[in-house]
Amino acid sequence: MWRNIARSAAASCLRRSRRFSTAIPGPCIVHKRGADILHDPWFNKDTGFPLTERDRLGLRGLLPPRVISFEHQYARFMESYRSLEKNTLGQPDSVVSLAKWRILNRLHDRNETLYYRVLIDNIKDFAPIIYTPTVGLVCQNYSGLFRRPRGMYFSAKDKGEMMSMIYNWPAHQVDMIVITDGSRILGLGDLGVQGIGIPIGKLDMYVAAAGINPQRILPIMLDVGTNNQRLLEDRLYLGLRQPRLEGEEYLSVVDELMEAIFTRWPKAIVQFEDFQMKWAFETLQRYRKKFCMFNDDIQGTAGVALAGLLGTVRAQGRPLTDFVNQKIVVVGAGSAGIGVLNMAAQAVSRVAGNTGASPNHQFYLLDKDGLITKERKNIDPAAAPFAKGPGEIEGLREGASLLEVVKKVKPHVLLGLSGVGGVFNEEVLKAMRESDSTKPAIFAMSNPTMNAECTAADAFKHAGENIVFASGSPFANVDLGNGKVGHVNQANNMYLFPGIGLGTLLAGAHFISDGMLQAAAEWYE
Ligand SMILES: NC(=O)c1ccc[n+]([C@@H]2O[C@H](COP(=O)([O-])OP(=O)(O)OC[C@H]3O[C@@H](n4cnc5c(N)ncnc54)[C@H](O)[C@@H]3O)[C@@H](O)[C@H]2O)c1
Ligand SMILES: O=C(O)C[C@H](O)C(=O)O
Ligand SMILES: [Mg+2]
């Protein structure tokens, strides 16, 4: 289901950009001249400048004489890309992916018009390179890969200066901003300033899938230090070498940045991305009514997961009202897992109406210490509404293991947002064969690939051919060996956030409501 959405989103974006040129900047007034234009990826056309433009813009003599058309440049790039694929055959995946990222990144740095054209046309092949999973590898190696800056960098050392710094950004208008503090990059933990790769990849998806003007996007890294000892000791590390700010000190820096952003661009939309759980929820509550913003890991993920949960009900041949009877086990009680449960609970009350039934009885939530019950000491307030009471879970104790929970509950859905690769092990997957569903769903949503709760092949092998499988990072379809194919869906918030941003922008909305995300989830489903 999600795949088709991606295809149609990309296709409609392509159509739109051909008709209206919203995705690719059309002719515009350029205040630069000569070499400055060739070094500006927004305006550079490389050898594509026609002679008249070369004269007008002071480019004559700065380029080889032959004019190469855009189509020809495009073909030449794709040829180099394909020969890179051929030449790296047999090399480790990480080497091949990074080589592909480098060639795309070089084009991004040189000529954005051509970059976005090839990205839009080849989104299925290139999304895993400029976005998850390769972007994770890029973030891990960012300080070594760094050649040119992209986006803006604010640090704890800039306190008191952010209002003037924001005016250093060259574009007068900015529509979409993605900001991270690098504290929880995918399932890879605290990567400090190296997390900037995530806002860059997310905004590429805004351009490719929603047609946002690439000159109006801005990736931002807010560097408040890192608690990653390895990075603090790395001589190439490009961020602040200090432990993360905490408490009021941290919040005052984020406050200052948000004020600066919205003073300069009052109509901008800000997406918070990959903030560790405590700050993800806190900043969402703090800013959502004051500024036009949302948290993608909490809300975008929830929308995409809900689309999958509703789609699963349909795949079982049941009416949507049956959603209230689905037993759903969520593994991971972080920003993403709790975000999914909050939205699923809202969907249940809408589907069920006000029946007075206990709202969360169908949900089971586990974290690193097992099943969360009301007996849990120091329970996180965000997890508390989903903690099981003693009467609800006969035979299951506080901290019960995932295997125990699956065996006892026989869930319709097993959904992982734990960040831990392989927690859906063989035993757990085999236990899903006893699910009460005719088509049990297994969503291994953690990223990148290594952190997925299980592989697609293992899911089909152990849980059976009848499952609905989805993963956060892409897996290939599985050959089941009997002429049948195990179909792999991708459940990643990339299928939702571009639409949320575009819809908010077009509507001129000042607030991104839960209802907007619910509507997006139901539409996608
Ligand atoms: N597919 C998507 O669109 C999508 C969206 C958001 C997040 N994610 C992924 O979800 C993962 C978690 O993100 P988050 O922001 O919620 O992180 P988080 O750090 O806030 O939460 C992780 C949770 O997993 C729990 N956990 C750790 N080990 C566990 C184990 N062995 N068994 C059960 N639970 C365990 C932790 O206790 C915590 O509750 C990351 O890998 C991220 O990439 C995917
Ligand atoms: O970045 C992604 O691929 C999805 C999600 O936002 C994540 O944090 O894993
Ligand atoms: Mg994220």
Side-chain angles (χ1 to χ4, degrees):
M1 51 201 134
W2 292 280
R3 273 269 165 77
N4 294 336
I5 295 154
R7 229 176 276 134
S8 64
S12 73
C13 171
L14 178 57
R15 282 195 299 275
R16 206 175 27 248
S17 65
R18 279 192 184 132
R19 274 181 294 154
F20 307 123
S21 295
T22 49
I24 304 299
C28 56
I29 298 167
V30 187
H31 296 286
K32 295 185 174 178
R33 281 183 66 76
D36 284 348
I37 293 183
L38 298 181
H39 295 147
D40 185 333
W42 283 349
F43 299 116
N44 183 26
K45 296 183 189 174
D46 289 316
T47 46
F49 285 105
L51 292 180
T52 48
E53 281 185 8
R54 293 181 187 203
D55 279 340
R56 195 155 27 88
L57 299 171
L59 293 170
R60 202 132 184 177
L62 300 183
L63 288 162
R66 179 148 167 240
V67 177
I68 306 280
S69 70
F70 187 74
E71 289 68 30
H72 194 156
Q73 289 179 343
Y74 181 108
R76 194 172 55 184
F77 176 82
M78 290 309 294
E79 226 169 81
S80 342
Y81 189 85
R82 296 296 170 219
S83 61
L84 173 98
E85 279 185 319
K86 237 203 245 145
N87 297 339
T88 50
L89 261 182
Q91 293 192 30
D93 284 352
S94 59
V95 172
V96 179
S97 308
L98 274 184
K100 289 179 174 176
W101 177 83
R102 274 198 201 89
I103 182 173
L104 280 162
N105 186 54
R106 279 202 298 271
L107 182 60
H108 198 181
D109 281 347
R110 208 178 62 236
N111 181 339
E112 288 207 1
T113 312
L114 185 56
Y115 172 73
Y116 284 114
R117 181 81 268 156
V118 298
L119 181 57
I120 289 168
D121 287 359
N122 301 279
I123 190 74
K124 194 163 173 280
D125 285 350
F126 290 170
I129 305 298
I130 55 105
Y131 186 78
T132 307
T134 305
V135 72
L137 197 59
V138 170
C139 290
Q140 287 176 305
N141 295 285
Y142 173 78
S143 295
L145 290 169
F146 181 86
R147 295 293 177 273
R148 287 169 66 104
R150 177 168 291 280
M152 288 195 83
Y153 299 78
F154 293 84
S155 90
K157 295 268 188 292
D158 297 318
K159 192 149 174 26
E161 301 297 328
M162 294 183 187
M163 193 61 86
S164 57
M165 285 167 70
I166 200 85
Y167 287 90
N168 289 342
W169 185 247
H172 293 301
Q173 187 61 47
V174 164
D175 292 333
M176 237 8 270
I177 292 175
V178 179
I179 174 169
T180 187
D181 70 354
S183 54
R184 191 288 276 147
I185 295 299
L186 308 176
L188 304 169
D190 179 352
L191 292 184
V193 79
Q194 307 198 153
I196 181 69
I198 293 289
I200 293 171
K202 297 267 170 188
L203 284 160
D204 273 353
M205 298 308 288
Y206 271 104
V207 175
I212 304 291
N213 184 335
Q215 292 184 19
R216 292 183 173 207
I217 58 173
L218 172 56
I220 293 186
M221 157 51 61
L222 178 60
D223 181 358
V224 296
T226 176
N227 295 338
N228 182 329
Q229 201 51 37
R230 198 181 49 76
L231 292 181
L232 288 172
E233 287 165 12
D234 179 352
R235 69 192 166 81
L236 289 180
Y237 182 59
L238 292 167
L240 285 189
R241 286 165 181 263
Q242 64 174 55
R244 283 187 174 276
L245 295 186
E246 288 297 340
E248 281 309 313
E249 249 190 315
Y250 173 85
L251 283 173
S252 69
V253 169
V254 192
D255 283 351
E256 185 180 329
L257 178 56
M258 291 296 275
E259 288 294 343
I261 290 171
F262 283 94
T263 301
R264 181 163 185 203
W265 300 296
K267 294 184 179 160
I269 302 160
V270 173
Q271 170 170 329
F272 274 54
E273 192 67 50
D274 288 8
F275 282 67
Q276 58 182 311
M277 174 166 168
K278 63 176 175 181
W279 295 128
F281 281 110
E282 172 108 22
T283 48
L284 182 61
Q285 289 318 320
R286 194 175 179 92
Y287 301 126
R288 74 179 298 197
K289 296 226 170 99
K290 191 167 177 200
F291 302 116
C292 189
M293 59 82 66
F294 71 107
N295 182 297
D296 181 42
D297 298 292
I298 299 174
Q299 299 167 288
T301 311
V304 148
L306 181 60
L309 294 173
L310 297 175
T312 300
V313 177
R314 211 178 41 179
Q316 290 166 35
R318 324 253 343 149
L320 272 195
T321 46
D322 203 51
F323 183 52
V324 299
N325 301 318
Q326 300 275 303
K327 290 176 284 181
I328 299 170
V329 171
V330 173
V331 184
S335 46
I338 297 217
V340 169
L341 281 179
N342 282 332
M343 192 177 278
Q346 286 171 15
V348 167
S349 17
R350 249 206 352 279
V351 171
N354 260 343
T355 56
S358 160
N360 295 333
H361 73 277
Q362 67 191 101
F363 303 128
Y364 298 78
L365 178 61
L366 290 90
D367 69 359
K368 63 179 175 7
D369 300 318
L371 181 69
I372 299 180
T373 71
K374 295 205 187 309
E375 283 169 36
R376 176 72 63 101
K377 298 209 170 48
N378 302 324
I379 189 165
D380 191 309
F386 305 102
K388 289 286 164 215
E392 281 181 274
I393 46 159
E394 212 184 310
L396 282 176
R397 60 188 165 82
E398 158 59 34
S401 72
L402 176 57
L403 183 60
E404 288 174 281
V405 174
V406 171
K407 280 189 164 163
K408 188 81 200 170
V409 174
K410 305 185 191 312
H412 296 77
V413 179
L414 177 59
L415 187 155
L417 282 162
S418 64
V420 183
V423 286
F424 296 174
N425 58 29
E426 183 175 339
E427 279 180 297
V428 168
L429 291 171
K430 281 187 170 154
M432 280 300 286
R433 285 181 181 258
E434 306 304 318
S435 157
D436 281 341
S437 168
T438 50
K439 254 186 163 319
I442 297 176
F443 296 172
M445 290 181 67
S446 288
N447 297 312
T449 316
M450 283 282 290
N451 299 62
E453 283 75 11
C454 65
T455 63
D458 280 353
F460 285 101
K461 180 168 164 201
H462 301 308
E465 295 179 1
N466 210 24
I467 58 171
V468 175
F469 180 81
S471 51
S473 300
F475 281 101
N477 285 342
V478 179
D479 180 354
L480 299 175
N482 48 7
K484 290 194 198 155
V485 170
H487 186 70
V488 174
N489 301 282
Q490 196 181 357
N492 188 298
N493 50 32
M494 73 173 174
Y495 294 114
L496 200 122
F497 63 75
I500 287 293
L502 180 63
T504 306
L505 191 67
L506 293 179
H510 299 296
F511 173 65
I512 298 174
S513 67
D514 291 344
M516 286 157 81
L517 289 143
Q518 288 272 352
E522 282 167 30
W523 188 82
Y524 274 169
E525 176 276 322

